[in-house]
């Protein structure tokens, strides 16, 4: 379990929540307070202006209504200027008084004194003179500052507009005050955040300390240590959780000990099994493999965990779904390659829970290569022997039935029928004798009577015998060395080998064919070859000619009286003399059968 960083911890989350709640409260209070204050300041500002305007209007209307003679010491303009000067106005205000024709009579801004006596062309002033109603506007100046503009008509006793009070007052003072207040709120907010963060961390630590202890205890429990317990700090929800956690620790300790015991027993059984065992989860991923299974499959059991069972057993090319494997019960899986045959038997079963839901699969594998080979050879052997014995027996039965039906009286046919019956009987005897000889070889019961022999002389002797009895159309060619080559052999058995090979060469040789017999001396052995000019053997069938009952042309071989066991016996006899036998051939160009025998050493030969 990875350590939780501070930025992912519940402490940070609780602290942030605490700070955010404080910020939300301050934001709501600040927004409400600022909005209310802005409205209050704006209202006070406009009320102050209206109050000043009302006072000015009263005095100015009196000044405009006053009747003046030439003896009066002051003019209307001087009276208006005096009233504006006497009425206290804000220095930031621009105040202008115009008469009914729009001519400026007075202003409170000394920089605008040059405008006195001139007509003011402001649209708002003209509209006020014409309409006679007070007009209020809020506009922005060139510096984007908000201005309050009020144009108030001055009316005489007859109700006629005799002048206008024009006022421009900036709102900037209000916003300056608001900015100062916002700055105070901002500073207060920062102090509140700092205090909230400190309090939040303390509160979060108090809450998360028991949780952190339970987390550390869970990590310890995950390693199999159930000896420690978490502290209980109170009777609240977290305290109750700590109590429940300690109870869980006790129950897990008991369950873990029981599971460990069962696991040790199971592992002991699995590891000591001679068969391979593979366990998978419900998805087919390998969770357990014993050593025998790893040896059979040629993999490291520790590296195969997590692999898919279908891939491990090389089912890639087979259309088999995982749930269907147990239904197959048992199957033979071919792991053979070009060099070696390797067969594995796999037995499948399922593991289910209390609800009969599949939670995994168990596969037991074993090497059945030799068993399958033996079983296949047994089936083929029984089939071949049955076939080979049935053919002559069927022939004999037919001829005997014909003789019994009266053909024995026919002097022309009866001898020929008896001759065929005798030939088939002799062929069966030869076959039985060959089978008995092979059986003795398989059971290691046949003894070899080896003696020091000159193989060249022995080979000449066998060829001489065949030349005397061979058909006239067959010619023998000898390519034998003019020296004595001594070998340690059973002469009768080697003669049988040579007889079998030469007999086959004669059988398959065409009219006028040649049988070539060679002996080549090599460093520690001699190589003997017998070549015919027959029909030849296809390349993919060369190795099979030394198998029992194998025939290239079954019909022709049976016609020539062969049993199909000669070369198989020859192979067994040559290998019993520590030699090797093989064949070379091309279709239509004849066949060469070659075997080797070890030469006797000089020391042993001299003895």
């Amino acid at each position: 379990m990875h350590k939780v960083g501070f930025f992912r911890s519940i402490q940070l989350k609780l602290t942030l929540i605490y700070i955010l709640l404080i910020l939300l409260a301050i934001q709501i209070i600040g927004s409400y307070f600022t909005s209310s204050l802005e409205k209050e300041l704006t209202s006070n500002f406009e009320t102050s202006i209206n109050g000043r305007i009302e006072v000015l209007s009263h005095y100015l209307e009196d000044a405009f209504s006053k009747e003046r003679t030439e003896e009066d010491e002051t003019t209307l303009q001087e009276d208006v200027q005096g009233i504006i000067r006497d009425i206290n106005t804000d220095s930031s205000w621009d105040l202008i008084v115009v008469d009914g024709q729009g001519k400026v009579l007075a202003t409170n801004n000394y920089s605008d004194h040059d405008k006195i006596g001139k007509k003011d062309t402001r649209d708002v002033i003209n509209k006020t003179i014409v309409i006679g109603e007070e007009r209020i506007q809020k506009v922005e100046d060139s510096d984007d500052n908000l201005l309050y503009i009020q144009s108030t008509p001055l009316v005489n006793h007859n109700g006629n507009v005799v002048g206008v009070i024009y006022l421009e007052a900036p709102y900037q003072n209000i916003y300056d005050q608001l900015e100062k207040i916002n700055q105070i709120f901002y500073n207060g907010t920062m102090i509140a955040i700092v205090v909230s963060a400190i309090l939040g961390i303390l509160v979060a630590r108090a809450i998360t300390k028991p949780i952190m202890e339970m987390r550390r205890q869970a990590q310890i429990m995950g390693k199999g240590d159930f000896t420690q317990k978490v502290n209980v700090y109170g009777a609240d929800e977290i305290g109750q959780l700590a109590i429940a956690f300690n109870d869980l620790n006790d129950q897990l300790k008991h369950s873990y000990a029981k599971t460990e015991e069962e696991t040790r027993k199971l592992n002991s059984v699995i590891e000591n099994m001679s068969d391979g065992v593979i366990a998978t989860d419900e998805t087919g991923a390998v969770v357990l493999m014993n050593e025998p299974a790893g040896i059979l499959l040629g993999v490291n059991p520790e590296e195969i965990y997590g692999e898919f069972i279908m891939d491990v057993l090389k089912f890639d090319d087979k259309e088999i779904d995982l749930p269907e494997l147990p239904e197959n019960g048992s199957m033979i899986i071919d792991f053979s390659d070009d060099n070696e045959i390797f067969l594995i038997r796999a037995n499948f079963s399922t593991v289910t829970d209390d609800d009969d839901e599949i939670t995994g699969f168990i596969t037991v594998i074993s090497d059945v290569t030799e068993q399958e080979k033996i079983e296949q050879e047994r089936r083929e052997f029984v089939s071949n022997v049955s076939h080979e014995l049935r053919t002559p027996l069927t022939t004999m039965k037919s001829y005997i039935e014909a003789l019994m039906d009266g053909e024995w009286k026919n002097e022309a046919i009866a001898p020929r029928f008896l001759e065929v019956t005798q030939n088939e009987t002799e062929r069966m005897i030869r076959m039985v004798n060959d089978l008995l000889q092979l059986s003795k070889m398989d059971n290691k019961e046949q003894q070899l009577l080896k003696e020091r022999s000159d193989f060249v002389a022995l080979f000449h002797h066998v060829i001489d015998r065949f030349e005397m009895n061979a058909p006239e159309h067959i010619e023998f060619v000898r390519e034998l060395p003019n020296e004595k080559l001594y070998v340690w052999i059973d002469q009768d058995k080697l003669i049988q080998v040579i007889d079998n090979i030469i007999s086959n060469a004669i059988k398959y040789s065409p009219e006028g064919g040649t049988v070539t017999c060679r002996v080549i001396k090599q460093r520690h052995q001699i190589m003997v070859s017998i070549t015919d000019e027959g029909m030849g053997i296809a390349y993919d069938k060369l190795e099979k000619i030394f198998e029992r009952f194998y025939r290239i042309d079954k019909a022709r071989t049976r016609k020539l009286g062969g049993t199909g066991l000669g070369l198989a016996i020859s192979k067994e006899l040559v290998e019993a003399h520590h030699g090797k036998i093989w064949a070379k051939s091309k279709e239509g160009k004849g066949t060469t059968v070659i075997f080797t025998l070890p030469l006797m050493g000089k020391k042993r030969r001299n003895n």
Side-chain angles (χ1 to χ4, degrees):
M1 185 181 294
H2 298 290
K3 183 178 180 181
V4 179
F6 175 74
F7 292 101
R8 295 183 179 180
S9 66
I10 193 172
Q11 288 189 22
L12 178 62
K13 294 175 182 177
L14 289 174
T15 304
L16 289 176
I17 291 172
Y18 193 74
I19 293 173
L20 289 173
L21 289 174
I22 296 296
L23 282 175
L24 181 61
I26 293 174
Q27 184 67 28
I28 293 173
I29 294 171
S31 298
Y32 176 76
F33 180 79
T34 302
S35 177
S36 299
L37 183 61
E38 182 180 2
K39 290 179 182 178
E40 185 66 23
L41 291 174
T42 302
S43 176
N44 292 338
F45 176 76
E46 294 176 356
T47 301
S48 174
I49 291 175
N50 289 329
R52 301 290 176 86
I53 293 296
E54 286 180 3
V55 174
L56 280 172
S57 297
H58 175 72
Y59 285 108
L60 289 174
E61 285 178 352
D62 288 343
F64 274 96
S65 299
K66 181 180 178 182
E67 294 183 1
R68 287 179 173 79
T69 63
E70 295 179 357
E71 288 82 11
D72 290 334
E73 297 179 357
T74 59
T75 63
L76 175 62
Q77 181 176 332
E78 291 173 344
D79 288 342
V80 171
Q81 187 66 44
I83 293 170
I84 291 176
R85 184 171 55 250
D86 294 338
I87 298 297
N88 185 22
T89 59
D90 194 299
S91 61
S92 62
W93 296 0
D94 288 335
L95 183 64
I96 298 174
V97 179
V98 300
D99 60 13
Q101 285 74 38
K103 184 174 68 173
V104 177
L105 297 176
T107 179
N108 71 335
N109 193 341
Y110 291 105
S111 62
D112 292 337
H113 279 188
D114 58 339
K115 297 179 181 179
I116 296 175
K118 297 178 181 180
K119 186 174 182 179
D120 193 299
T121 59
R122 289 185 177 91
D123 185 59
V124 66
I125 294 175
N126 294 330
K127 288 182 179 180
T128 303
I129 294 172
V130 173
I131 299 174
E133 293 180 356
E134 184 179 64
R135 301 182 69 82
I136 297 173
Q137 295 179 345
K138 294 178 181 179
V139 298
E140 292 182 352
D141 62 8
S142 58
D143 296 327
D144 294 332
N145 294 319
L146 186 63
L147 298 176
Y148 178 86
I149 297 176
Q150 183 171 333
S151 179
T152 304
L154 299 172
V155 183
N156 60 14
H157 298 299
N158 297 323
N160 297 321
V161 177
V162 294
V164 174
I165 301 172
Y166 176 80
L167 175 70
E168 283 187 6
Y171 275 106
Q172 190 61 38
N173 292 336
I174 297 174
Y175 291 108
D176 289 343
Q177 293 179 33
L178 287 174
E179 185 177 353
K180 291 178 181 179
I181 294 171
N182 287 334
Q183 184 63 39
I184 294 171
F185 263 96
Y186 176 77
N187 294 335
T189 301
M190 291 298 102
I191 295 171
I193 289 174
V194 173
V195 174
S196 300
I198 296 172
L199 292 176
I201 291 173
L202 294 176
V203 172
R205 283 185 177 179
I207 295 174
T208 59
K209 183 179 179 181
I211 298 175
M212 295 298 293
E213 288 187 5
M214 283 186 276
R215 175 180 175 273
R216 285 192 294 269
Q217 178 60 22
Q219 291 176 329
I220 295 172
M221 290 166 57
K223 297 177 181 178
D225 184 1
F226 301 95
T227 58
Q228 302 181 29
K229 293 188 177 183
V230 297
N231 296 319
V232 180
Y233 292 98
D236 57 5
E237 290 84 350
I238 295 180
Q240 294 297 319
L241 177 62
I243 294 172
F245 194 87
N246 289 331
D247 292 340
L248 176 63
N249 179 71
D250 294 336
Q251 294 178 15
L252 285 176
K253 181 180 180 181
H254 176 71
S255 300
Y256 186 79
K258 189 174 181 180
T259 303
E260 279 290 306
E261 182 181 358
E262 296 297 328
T263 301
R264 284 194 296 270
K265 291 180 181 178
L266 179 61
N267 287 338
S268 177
V269 171
I270 291 175
E271 291 300 327
N272 288 286
M273 288 180 63
S274 58
D275 291 337
V277 178
I278 305 172
T280 68
D281 58 18
E282 67 277 5
T283 65
V286 176
V287 297
L288 174 66
M289 176 185 287
N290 66 352
E291 194 66 26
I295 294 173
L296 284 174
L297 298 177
V299 297
N300 185 346
E302 296 180 356
E303 296 178 356
I304 210 69
Y305 293 153
E307 296 290 332
F308 197 49
I309 185 65
M310 307 295 279
D311 297 330
V312 173
L313 297 179
K314 298 182 180 179
F315 282 154
D316 301 342
D317 299 333
K318 299 180 176 65
E319 295 181 357
I320 300 177
D321 293 331
L322 183 64
E324 296 177 357
L325 287 177
E327 298 177 2
N328 295 323
S330 175
M331 66 170 57
I332 302 296
I333 306 173
D334 190 357
F335 281 82
S336 305
D337 53 26
D338 295 337
N339 300 320
E340 185 180 6
I341 297 176
F342 185 36
L343 303 175
I344 287 180
R345 182 186 298 277
N347 295 286
F348 304 98
S349 59
T350 57
V351 180
T352 58
D353 56 15
D354 295 337
D355 299 325
D356 288 333
E357 294 290 333
I358 296 177
T359 59
F361 300 89
I362 299 294
T363 305
V364 180
I365 59 175
S366 57
D367 184 358
V368 293
T369 304
E370 293 302 321
Q371 298 177 18
E372 288 297 315
K373 283 183 179 179
I374 292 171
E375 182 64 22
Q376 181 64 26
E377 290 176 357
R378 184 192 66 79
R379 288 193 294 266
E380 291 180 356
F381 180 78
V382 171
S383 175
N384 288 330
V385 169
S386 301
H387 181 74
E388 293 298 331
L389 289 176
R390 184 173 62 249
T391 301
L393 285 172
T394 302
T395 303
M396 292 169 60
K397 180 175 178 294
S398 301
Y399 280 95
I400 291 173
E401 287 177 350
L403 291 172
M404 291 179 65
D405 289 339
E407 292 296 332
W408 63 273
K409 298 178 180 179
N410 190 330
E411 296 181 358
I413 295 176
R416 189 152 52 89
F417 280 13
L418 291 173
E419 182 182 358
V420 171
T421 303
Q422 182 180 6
N423 290 337
E424 294 297 323
T425 303
E426 290 176 353
R427 188 157 74 90
M428 283 194 296
I429 292 172
R430 287 197 304 272
M431 186 184 303
V432 172
N433 289 335
D434 288 344
L435 290 171
L436 289 173
Q437 184 177 2
L438 285 171
S439 177
K440 289 180 180 180
M441 290 179 182
D442 292 339
N443 296 321
K444 309 298 181 183
E445 295 178 358
Q446 185 162 359
Q447 299 293 327
L448 295 179
L449 303 177
K450 293 184 179 181
E451 58 181 327
R452 177 173 175 267
S453 303
D454 177 9
F455 185 82
V456 176
L458 179 68
F459 203 6
H460 277 298
H461 170 70
V462 176
I463 297 171
D464 291 340
R465 177 161 51 82
F466 271 99
E467 280 186 330
M468 292 177 60
N469 300 313
E472 294 182 357
H473 64 273
I474 299 298
E475 179 183 355
F476 283 87
V477 176
R478 309 187 194 199
E479 296 180 4
L480 309 181
N482 294 321
E483 62 176 312
K484 295 182 178 181
L485 300 176
Y486 290 99
V487 291
W488 188 252
I489 59 173
D490 184 327
Q491 289 192 12
D492 290 339
K493 298 298 184 291
L494 256 296
I495 291 173
Q496 184 179 0
V497 171
I498 299 170
D499 281 354
N500 286 335
I501 298 172
I502 294 179
S503 296
N504 284 338
I506 293 173
K507 288 177 185 177
Y508 296 104
S509 290
E511 286 286 335
T514 301
V515 176
T516 304
C517 301
R518 297 186 184 88
V519 174
I520 299 174
K521 179 184 178 184
Q522 296 179 332
R523 185 174 180 183
H524 298 296
Q525 65 181 9
I526 59 172
M527 185 169 67
V528 183
S529 66
I530 300 169
T531 304
D532 63 49
E533 296 179 345
M535 60 183 179
I537 304 170
Y539 179 78
D540 58 339
K541 297 178 180 179
L542 273 177
E543 293 185 0
K544 296 181 179 180
I545 64 174
F546 296 100
E547 295 178 3
R548 300 174 186 185
F549 292 110
Y550 182 80
R551 294 187 177 93
I552 300 170
D553 186 345
K554 295 184 178 181
R556 182 178 179 187
T557 304
R558 191 172 290 113
K559 182 179 180 181
L560 296 173
T563 64
L565 298 172
L567 289 179
I569 294 173
S570 299
K571 181 176 182 293
E572 297 285 346
L573 291 175
V574 169
E575 290 178 352
H577 283 83
H578 309 292
K580 294 181 180 180
I581 187 169
W582 68 96
K584 294 181 180 180
S585 180
K586 287 186 178 180
E587 290 187 271
K589 296 185 178 181
T591 302
T592 300
V593 178
I594 307 164
F595 66 89
T596 61
L597 292 172
L599 282 168
M600 292 181 63
K602 290 183 179 179
K603 185 175 180 180
R604 185 172 183 180
R605 191 164 61 234
N606 292 335
N607 292 337

